[in-house]
Structure formats: structure tokens, C-alpha cells
Amino acid sequence: MKLVDTSDASLGYSGGLDLGSRVTNNLLQFHSMANNEDYSQLDISLQEKDKLVAEVIRYTLFKTHQSSGCPIKREELTQIITKNYRQRALPALVINEAREKLANIFGYEMKELNRLRPSSNRYTRASQQSNTEAKSYIIVSKLPADIYSKYVEDKENSHLNGLAVVLISLVHLAGGKLSEENLWHQLRRFGINENDENHAEFGNNKQTLDMLVQRRYLHKEKVAGPEGNTMMYELAERSLDESISSKVKEYISQVVSKDETAEVDD
């Protein structure tokens, strides 16, 4: 019995891939040539440039793992580059190339955080200084959410992601701003007490909340008022991330649905 001949189809498919590969390679070569011209104007060799790019990538991946996902300040990356070089335009070129390689080789987006300004204008001088901090970056997987969740996501930290969604939802439902006292009042309804240093899932609850602030899910600031200083929580940059905001919307809709069901039962 003769097998069906698929050689034509195979050749056609292969030819399409080959053409696509040639186009991609040409574009990459053109981009590389443009980058090389930029570096040549800075009087730096390609070997030196590649070494700096590799150092930035290595530091970014290591720091992200070491700090459990806390943002990396651009100033930190700039210091790596300017330690032995003084060209002003060099940090931007190296960081941009590092971002491209992280995306194309490792499948990570080196996402720049656009720092949100607190809504209140009654903040202290320390607050005003914090708003002028250097740019920062986080590493975000470019994999589809379902694949990332199944094969990559660290399940041991999933409870922290869940807590982040709850906290963001609470602040969102409060109009985007919630006092520390009211926040802990709401968390106690979930069995999370501010004085608990040995929670079964979160350990020291206060430290866990502070860690989520450092990761920029929430912004924490002391506000001066007529009755003294009040610690306020607002939404920070990571709360606007599409993957987080979609989970927040889903969680809020579940809460609203339960409330409506409870009212009907009553």
C-alpha cells in the first residue's frame, strides 16, 4: 500500500519557514548593525558591550530571584555600566539591549514601572522625595497565563499572589485609598491579624504586608491630618498590571455575587 505523498506540502511549509527565518535574520542583522554603529560612536568594542549586556542580564535575573520580585532600580543597573565607563549615552544603549535579549532569549519582559503619584497633596517632604525616585523594572513572563501557571509559577508563593489580589480589591473598593486601621480591620475578617507573627501561611503578617508594598502592589504613606499622622495605603504600579487587574475584577465580582445571593436568601 502506497503512503500518501506529502512532500509537496512539507516543502511548501518548510519554504515558508525558511523565508520567514531569512526575513527575521535580516531584520536582526540590520538591528545589530544599527546598534554596533551606536556603540562605535562611543568608543567601546563589541566584546566590551556584550560583557556589559551580560552583566546587566545576570544582575537582573539574580536580583529578581533574591528579592522575591521586588523592582530593580535603573540606578543599580547604571552603576554596573558606569563603574568602568563614563560615556553618558552608554547606560541607555546597554539596558535597552539587555531588555531585548531577556525577551528574545529568556522569554521575560523587563517592564518599566511608571511610578504612580499619591492622590493626596498633604504628604510630607519624605513623600515628595520618594516620588522622584529613579525608574525601576520588574521581570514579567511573556508566556500565556495558563501555561505559566501550569509549568512555571511557583506554587509555594501562590498564597502571596492571592493575598495581593485581596488587598488590592479592598483598597479599590474603598475608593483607591484605605487607612492602615481600616485595612487591618478588613483583614481580620479573613483571619489575618496584625499582631500575628506566626500565621500558618504568611508567617509575620506585618512583614508580609510590607513585602507586598516593596513589590509595588500597594503604596504606603504617612499623611498629616488635623488629628495627627495616619498611615494610608493606595494602589501602586503593579496593581495596574493586566494579569493582576483581571484577577481583582474576578474576585470583586465573586464577592458581589455572594452578597446578592445572601440578600436573596434572607
Side-chain angles (χ1 to χ4, degrees):
M1 184 175 67
K2 184 178 179 180
L3 294 176
V4 176
D5 185 2
T6 59
S7 57
D8 291 341
S10 298
L11 286 171
Y13 184 69
S14 176
L17 281 179
D18 186 52
L19 176 61
S21 298
R22 289 200 301 270
V23 172
T24 301
N25 288 335
N26 288 338
L27 289 173
L28 289 174
Q29 289 174 5
F30 176 80
H31 180 70
S32 178
M33 289 171 59
N35 275 347
N36 292 343
E37 290 179 3
D38 291 336
Y39 286 110
S40 65
Q41 295 175 5
L42 296 175
D43 192 27
I44 179 174
S45 70
L46 293 181
Q47 290 78 12
E48 291 174 302
K49 178 265 292 183
D50 289 340
K51 183 178 179 181
L52 287 173
V53 171
E55 287 179 0
V56 168
I57 291 174
R58 189 183 304 111
Y59 180 87
T60 300
L61 293 174
F62 176 77
K63 185 67 180 292
T64 297
H65 176 74
Q66 184 186 50
S67 63
S68 300
C70 291
I72 300 170
K73 292 181 181 179
R74 185 184 178 93
E75 181 184 355
E76 299 176 52
L77 304 180
T78 299
Q79 288 175 353
I80 295 173
I81 301 163
T82 57
K83 183 169 58 177
N84 297 315
Y85 299 91
R86 294 292 177 265
Q87 296 92 326
R88 293 184 61 183
L90 185 59
L93 289 173
V94 171
I95 291 173
N96 286 339
E97 185 165 339
R99 294 176 74 177
E100 291 175 4
K101 289 193 173 182
L102 274 168
N104 297 330
I105 299 174
F106 296 94
Y108 286 115
E109 178 186 3
M110 190 172 164
K111 190 172 185 179
E112 183 177 322
L113 291 182
N114 297 314
R115 195 168 182 86
L116 299 177
R117 300 184 68 85
S119 62
S120 174
N121 59 4
R122 296 177 296 171
Y123 290 104
T124 61
R125 181 177 299 176
S127 169
Q128 294 172 356
Q129 291 174 346
S130 69
N131 289 333
T132 60
E133 286 181 359
K135 296 177 181 178
S136 59
Y137 302 96
I138 57 173
I139 299 299
V140 180
S141 174
K142 297 178 69 177
L143 289 173
D146 55 338
I147 295 178
Y148 179 83
S149 177
K150 186 174 182 179
Y151 297 105
V152 181
E153 186 177 21
D154 184 1
K155 301 302 181 183
E156 293 183 1
N157 288 324
S158 60
H159 60 289
L160 292 176
N161 296 332
L163 179 60
V165 170
V166 171
L167 289 167
I168 294 169
S169 300
L170 291 173
V171 175
H172 177 77
L173 290 170
K177 184 164 56 178
L178 190 62
S179 70
E180 184 174 43
E181 181 181 357
N182 287 333
L183 181 62
W184 282 113
H185 173 74
Q186 296 296 331
L187 288 176
R188 283 194 289 270
R189 298 171 60 184
F190 295 91
I192 303 173
N193 193 294
E194 64 267 40
N195 297 320
D196 190 349
E197 299 181 357
N198 296 288
H199 190 277
E201 290 184 327
F202 306 119
N204 188 309
N205 288 335
K206 281 187 176 181
Q207 290 181 1
T208 299
L209 179 57
D210 285 341
M211 181 176 64
L212 293 176
V213 170
Q214 292 172 7
R215 292 186 184 183
R216 303 304 300 162
Y217 289 106
L218 295 175
H219 177 79
K220 177 183 178 181
E221 198 69 60
K222 187 178 291 185
V223 179
E227 299 180 359
N229 294 331
T230 304
M231 194 65 71
M232 300 295 296
Y233 286 86
E234 299 187 31
L235 300 178
E237 300 81 22
R238 250 183 171 156
S239 66
L240 302 180
D241 188 82
E242 185 177 350
S243 62
I244 296 295
S245 60
S246 62
K247 292 179 181 178
V248 169
K249 291 177 183 177
E250 181 181 351
Y251 175 76
I252 291 176
S253 65
Q254 290 176 357
V255 172
V256 172
S257 178
K258 287 182 180 179
D259 289 344
E260 291 176 349
T261 302
E263 290 178 2
V264 171
D265 291 341
D266 289 343

